[in-house]
Amino acid sequence: VQLVESGGGLVQTGGSLRLSCEVSGLTFDDYAIGWFRQAPGKEREGISVISSSTGSSAYADSVKGRFTISSNHAKDTVYLQMNRLKPDDTGVYYCAADYADLLLLAPTEFGLWGQGTQVTVSS
């Protein structure tokens, strides 16, 4: 099983990035895929999650209205479109898979993780 994130980088405040999470080695529709971030010295926090089977999604309050999660079943890939980025959005962004498909944002619910991609938002 592999989850591979890409799309991170350095962007100015107010800019946009699109992260990708390519999933392999599991049945895509059986899982919820979530995005998490971890800033230096802080705990990992859930940002957004999508059910691959239903398309339902959930967001943390801190990103509602700015971030959009989506999935492409043909490519077994989940995207996170991030708009109006702020310095507080800086961190390592991880995607993870949850077989329970409960649309929870708690990192402890997710058993399969990618290696992460760095997002830095400059002020």
Side-chain angles (χ1 to χ4, degrees):
V1 177
Q2 271 195 311
L3 292 88
V4 180
E5 303 95 336
S6 62
L10 173 64
V11 64
Q12 291 185 333
T13 296
S16 298
L17 284 173
R18 188 177 81 155
L19 305 183
S20 299
C21 173
E22 186 172 353
V23 180
S24 61
L26 53 78
T27 303
F28 191 69
D29 283 356
D30 286 348
Y31 290 78
I33 305 296
W35 283 100
F36 302 80
R37 70 183 175 202
Q38 188 163 19
K42 295 187 177 181
E43 292 187 353
R44 194 170 297 187
E45 62 170 331
I47 298 301
S48 185
V49 60
I50 188 167
S51 167
S52 299
S53 60
T54 67
S56 299
S57 59
Y59 297 89
D61 288 343
S62 59
V63 304
K64 277 181 183 175
R66 299 189 298 124
F67 291 11
T68 303
I69 194 169
S70 62
S71 62
N72 183 326
H73 289 246
K75 297 183 177 181
D76 286 356
T77 300
V78 172
Y79 304 99
L80 186 68
Q81 177 67 44
M82 306 187 296
N83 298 327
R84 292 185 280 138
L85 284 161
K86 308 173 183 179
D88 283 351
D89 295 319
T90 294
V92 179
Y93 282 67
Y94 301 89
C95 65
D98 173 25
Y99 184 72
D101 201 10
L102 296 177
L103 287 184
L104 299 176
L105 290 173
T108 52
E109 292 294 324
F110 291 75
L112 302 169
W113 291 83
Q115 293 301 306
T117 185
Q118 176 71 44
V119 171
T120 303
V121 184
S122 63
S123 57

